[in-house]
Amino acid sequence: MTVFCRQAFAVFRPDEELAALAPLGSGRVNDTWLVTTAAGAKCVLQRLNPAVFPDPAAVQANLCRVTEHLRGNLPEASGFKTFCVFSSPGGETAWVDSNGAWWRLLSHLDGTQALEAISSPAQAQALGAALGIFHLLLASLPPPPLADTLPGFHNTPLYLAHYDAALTGDCLPEAADCRDFIEQRRADMRLLEDARLRGEITEQAVHGDPKVGNFLFSQDSKRVVSLIDLDTVKPGLLLHDLGDCLRSCCNPKGEDVQHLDEIVFDQVLFAAVLTGYLSHAAHLLQPGDRRLIVDSARLISLELGLRFYSDYLSGSRYFKVDHPEQNLFRARVQFTLVRSVENQYSKLKAIAANCEG
Ligand code: GN1
Ligand code: MG
């Protein structure tokens, strides 16, 4: 891969020398590196996973449109920044390697840091506010709509169908706890899709993956400076993002815990994320969205657990793993989070109903 990294960098920056290359972030799908040039400048090199994104040209077009729109419309007072997509001297923003994988070079936002988990309500509120601002900016994106680069992404019933299909194929041994957990919740999987089909919840361009690690914080960890990883930006539901953000933020131990008994869905962080989000984006939500906030956090956690478990059964061909059981454990983490939401369901509904905005 290092050879491709060097080739890709040379395409975008033919006159500069690559001095150092280090893996960046903890992406489970694409590959990302921090590049340092001989002159000491930093930038971000990324390879899109061709097995996940069937139309990389459309992903790249969405990325360029959204970053340009954000740059032109970021409210100055928000202190927000967005990264740039660099072009080659010939004006290309992407390079395709000899295996058909797409590469891009992005600017690095110096003085920022990604956190694996949230450690205070103030951080959670700042993060919720950032998602609200991001949704407002995407709501004002001029037509046409973004391309749907991952059809079926966050369509929970479709993931259930894939799971059923994986079971009939040549797959790894089933884990009875996961199988039973899914069986008991089969009927709930249609919740967001049905509300969407009834027109009760808001569809617009969304981020698609607003987990904690994709928000860049200032060095003092107090302010959110940017929301990165725009590969999944595409049409979706506001509740896909809000549910996913709550799933990730309200789990203070993070997705990569050592023991399942550390997992809890934190009520205080839940209230803080929502307060921040609603302070900017309350008017984007319909009554149907408001009603399903807690359910969306539960459903997106359930969906991610189902995705990890199906991938485990199919031999981990989608999410990158360090060892064969990793996606099974990741599934159990998400299912434990689902159970924690279920155990606090009425209290969380009351908190959501009382949040101002
Ligand atoms: C994947 O690759 P990464 O880490 O940005 C996944 C998200 C999951 C996330 C869980 C395209 O995101 O949907 O929520 O892992 N992205 C894709 O950590 O499937
Ligand atoms: Mg992502």
Side-chain angles (χ1 to χ4, degrees), residues 38 44 324 347:
V44 175
K347 179 71 186 160

Side-chain angles (χ1 to χ4, degrees), residues 125-147:
Q125 186 164 338
L127 196 150
L131 183 65
I133 294 171
F134 192 81
H135 279 171
L136 280 183
L137 289 164
L138 288 184
S140 69
L141 187 76
L146 295 174

Side-chain angles (χ1 to χ4, degrees), residues 280-351:
H280 291 279
H283 64 283
L284 295 179
L285 301 182
Q286 305 176 50
D289 294 305
R290 291 294 287 248
R291 187 166 48 81
L292 291 176
I293 288 174
V294 178
D295 299 86
S296 71
R298 174 178 174 274
L299 189 71
I300 299 293
S301 311
L302 178 60
E303 177 189 281
L304 185 58
L306 178 67
R307 293 172 64 198
F308 282 140
Y309 183 51
S310 304
D311 197 35
Y312 161 75
L313 291 176
S314 313
S316 293
R317 286 179 299 209
Y318 186 102
F319 295 107
K320 291 186 271 183
V321 287
D322 300 323
H323 59 88
E325 304 274 290
Q326 194 168 7
N327 278 326
L328 176 59
F329 186 73
R330 285 171 175 162
R332 288 186 170 130
V333 168
Q334 295 305 314
F335 292 156
T336 307
L337 203 57
V338 171
R339 199 167 270 130
S340 179
V341 175
E342 290 171 351
N343 291 341
Q344 306 174 73
Y345 188 74
S346 353
K347 179 71 186 160
L348 292 170
K349 290 283 275 191
I351 293 171

Side-chain angles (χ1 to χ4, degrees), residues 227-302:
L227 179 50
I228 56 166
D229 188 16
L230 303 184
D231 300 320
T232 46
V233 173
K234 67 181 204 72
L237 295 172
L238 290 179
L239 286 182
H240 288 154
D241 269 7
L242 196 49
D244 198 34
C245 184
L246 291 165
R247 167 193 79 71
S248 172
C249 278
C250 305
N251 165 13
K253 294 292 178 184
E255 268 177 51
D256 294 315
V257 282
Q258 299 291 319
H259 304 287
L260 292 178
D261 55 14
E262 295 175 68
I263 298 286
V264 66
F265 190 90
D266 187 299
Q267 291 182 6
V268 176
L269 296 180
F270 174 73
V273 174
L274 263 193
T275 303
Y277 182 81
L278 294 174
S279 68
H280 291 279
H283 64 283
L284 295 179
L285 301 182
Q286 305 176 50
D289 294 305
R290 291 294 287 248
R291 187 166 48 81
L292 291 176
I293 288 174
V294 178
D295 299 86
S296 71
R298 174 178 174 274
L299 189 71
I300 299 293
S301 311
L302 178 60

